[in-house]
Each structure stands twice: as structure tokens, then as C-alpha cells.
Amino acid sequence: MNNLAFKTIKELKALVDSGAISHQELLKFFTDNAKKHEDLGAYLEIFDEPSITKECTFSGTLAGIPGLIKDNIAQKNRKMTCASKILETFVTNYDATAIARLKQEGAALLGRANMDEFAMGSSGETSAFFKTKNPWNKACVPGGSSSGSAAAVAAGIVPWALGSDTGGSVRQPAAMCGIVGLKPTYGHVSRFGLTAYGSSLDQIGVLTRCVYDNALVFSVIAGKDAKDASSLSVQQQDYTKNLTGKLKQNLKIGVVQEALDGQGLDHEIKKSVEQAIKELEKLGATIVPISMKTLQYGAAAYFIISRAEAASNLARFDGVRYGIRDKERDLNEMYKNTRHDGFGSEVKARILVGNYVLSVGHAGEFYDNAKRVRRAIRKEFNDAFETVDLLIMPSHSVPAFKVGTYDNDKLAMDLQDYFTAPMNLAGVPSLSIPVGFTHDKKPIGMQIIGAHLAEELIYQTAYAYEQVTSWHTMHPEL
Ligand code: GLN
């Protein structure tokens, strides 16, 4: 049974359906296996088997299929810490809509994935509890902020996981861990029950080892939700039905020139992305160069807008309603002490920057300008999708790096979002898929980006690519 770890959802379902393995055996295998890989730091908690069984109906699309949930998504009667001390003791009393839908389809929710504190980071290093390691190279980071979700899927701890993506936090760790990660169209997945970081950017996303599995889980969680006012009026549908292995007729893909020709892109990543583009061309796609002049401003605009929204969103953590509370009896002192002790330094820095860029006298220079840049970015995407069906960019500029590499270079760390944040600003969907390895066996990812609500076309294209390549079948030796 020890070969179950790297089976896809589709394969596990077939094993259960044929009677080769029972739901209970499956669950036991994965909870045991998770414990074997505790050293990766991918999860904050694996629930005990009886409580998982109690929560699970074992019937539906994901009947008994184990998955891990980033710890900023509410699972009723479980802790939700956002990997922060301030919420260390917090237990939520409701399910996020995505979680309710997963439960309705019988998914077995195994536990809570480690992450960067409040989803702020690109490396899994800002968790208040412990860092997550990259299963391909334990001296390196897995990317972030959905670090635990990505590492767990890559390591075979679970076949799927949920993450959240505000500026790249699903796609960048997916790329660094050699797996598939979707950042949906803004509003396509309900944010109800997702702890807000940058509300106009946040989306729950799916991490899996192959495209089919990703489309399957996405089909379960996507679609209109009355509990989220920003959720789009889209019916739930089956995103696996168009996975034929063929590309759409006359598919036109734009390759963002500034992304491939710009400085700072690792040459092995560039080579792998170019190779993947050739594969798509061989499959019948027409490849055209596209210029996106705003690309270079994406990370900066994201920096300002995300901090501004974070400063407002995190104001609710004051010791009154959630998590830890300082014993000081003076109210203002209690707020101050709770936040001082509860938040880590990355979170504090972002709250400071956020309040600064929104403050009288500075908002015009920073926040208002960032919003203008955002509009320009959105327009450039809209214009691009007038002429092409999809766009291609790398998912990351550098392969997984050693823990501590950017401790003294925050700017370099913030530039990790260079290729991913523009899609959050524009609200368009993007899928990162594995397209190769560096000479020292670090995974490489590439994004397939679509217009609003083009998830189906993205999946179809990615699936066709996957059928003629084998990157998704490789896994780390653990
Ligand atoms: N790396 C980005 C940041 O640190 C992205 C975070 C995210 O998408 N949650 O803000």
C-alpha cells in the first residue's frame, strides 16, 4: 500500500470504486503517511482519524479523498491560526463556503496546512510556528505563502490542497514544488470564510499534482455564493469535461515578451518555458509575441494596494473578538500589547506601510497612483485578450532558494511576485503548471493566463500539454 502516496485523485477514486481499497484504509494510509513527513513542516495539524471520519460523508465527487486546507480558511470547530500567534488559540465556528462544498462532495479534510503568517510571504519562512521545507530539496524553501499546501501535495502527503492567492501565493509555491496551482478569476470562488488579507485581490486556489485533479476540485468549490457580495454569478459546472487532450481549434497564445526578455529571469526557467511554448505550438497553437508594458509596475502596485488593504483587514485582530488577549485592563494598552505580542515582524511591517500609504498627505502619492497603475494593467490584459485566447509567462523568476537567502534583502523577496501579482490586480485567472527542472533538480513552473472566467480553456490547454510531457509524473525522493 505504500505506493498510494503519489496516486492522483482519479486513480485513488478508481481504487476505492473497484473495491481494491476501503475508505478507512485510504484514510489510515494518508494520516500515517502525513506523520512520517512531519519534518517537512507542511502542516500545523493533522486531525485524528475518528474526527475526520465523523465530518466526512464518504460520498460524492471527492468521496473520502484526503486533502489539506491552508490555515486561513475556516473549518468549523477546528483551529484556524493563519500561522500567527495572535490566533494560536482561535477555533472557528463555521465552514468557509469552499469547505462546505468540499464536505458536501465527501472530501476527507485531513488537517491544516502551514503558511506564511496571514498569507504574507513568498517562502513559508514567516509562519510564527515553524518553516516549511521544499520536498525536492529540504535546504530550500517551498515558496509561499501557501507553502504547506504546496509542499504537502508535492511530497505525496495529500493529492490536493487548498491555498489562497493574493499576489501569487498559490502559483509561486506550486511552481517551486513542481505541481499544478490555480488562481481563479476574482469572484469565481467565494471568499466567505477566507481570512481577508487584500480583499480586492484574494482568491482561494487549488493545488494538485495534475491538471485533471485540479479541475475536479475547482468544479466542487467554484460558483456563485450569496454569502460573498463579490462572488460572480456563475453556475457550478464540471471543468473536467473539456479535458480531451486536444487544443481548442485555432487557439492563439500570446507570449509576454517583457517577461521572457527581461532581466532577472533565471536562464534555466527561461529555457524550460520556451520549450513548453514549442510543445504547445506542436500541438497546434498559434504563438504570437505580445508586449505588456505594465508588467514592470505590477509588483510595486501590488505592494501598495495589498499593504493598504491588509492594514484595514488586520485591524480586527485587537484581542477583543479573536485569539489571544493581553491582560492589561486599560483598553488602548490591551490593544497595543495584544498586537505587539501577537503579530510577527512581517505582518507588523505591512500594517505600518499600509497605514502610511493611506494616510493624509501620502495617499495621493502612493495609494491613488497604485490604483491608476492597476487600471492600466487591467486594460492591458483586456486589450491582449482581444487578440489572443491565452497568455504565457513564467511563474517565478528564480528556482527554490535556500532558507534565509533574502533575510536581509526585502526588496528581492517582494520581487518574487513580479510575474504573478499582475493577474491578481487584473482579476484574471492563471494556472501554474510544471514545465521542467533545473540542473540541480529544482522544479520550474509556467503560467497559462486567461481572460475573466476562462478557466475551462486554461485547463483544456494545460491538460493537452500534460498529455505530451511527463513533468507531472515526477516526484521527490523522500
Ligand atoms: N508573496 C506575496 C506577498 O507576500 C503574495 C502573498 C499572497 O498571495 N498571499 O504578499
Side-chain angles (χ1 to χ4, degrees), residues 328-345:
E328 174 62 53
R329 295 193 58 85
D330 176 86
L331 185 62
N332 279 321
E333 288 302 309
M334 187 282 284
Y335 288 156
K336 258 199 258 168
N337 295 349
T338 301
R339 288 166 70 83
H340 173 272
D341 296 342
F343 289 136
S345 59

Side-chain angles (χ1 to χ4, degrees), residues 350-364:
R350 292 191 188 206
I351 293 171
L352 283 175
V353 172
N355 283 317
Y356 180 78
V357 300
L358 286 173
S359 61
V360 180
H362 297 290

Side-chain angles (χ1 to χ4, degrees), residues 129-160:
F129 304 119
F130 42 84
K131 299 180 184 16
T132 304
K133 296 173 181 160
N134 191 315
W136 290 92
N137 182 334
K138 291 184 188 172
C140 291
V141 304
S145 65
S146 307
S147 45
S149 302
V153 170
I157 292 175
V158 279
W160 65 273

Side-chain angles (χ1 to χ4, degrees), residues 70 72 116 118-123 144-146 164-172 197 202 302 306-307 346 350 413-414 416-417 420 424:
K70 186 174 182 179
N72 59 350
D116 281 299
F118 281 104
M120 298 177 181
S122 299
S123 65
S145 65
S146 307
S164 66
D165 192 312
T166 306
S169 281
V170 165
R171 291 160 288 158
Q172 184 253 23
Y197 158 22
D202 297 337
Y302 166 76
S306 63
R307 270 66 174 174
E346 180 65 27
R350 292 191 188 206
M413 187 65 108
D414 289 329
Q416 291 296 312
D417 311 327
T420 48
N424 300 78

Side-chain angles (χ1 to χ4, degrees), residues 65-84:
I65 303 296
L68 203 63
I69 307 298
K70 186 174 182 179
D71 204 24
N72 59 350
I73 302 172
Q75 306 184 66
K76 189 174 176 175
N77 297 332
R78 305 285 192 191
K79 273 190 180 182
M80 180 176 67
T81 68
C82 298
S84 179

Side-chain angles (χ1 to χ4, degrees), residues 101-121:
R101 290 182 181 178
L102 287 163
K103 285 183 178 172
Q104 202 164 3
E105 291 302 329
L109 306 182
L110 232 57
R112 302 182 289 114
N114 199 3
M115 55 185 280
D116 281 299
E117 186 175 359
F118 281 104
M120 298 177 181

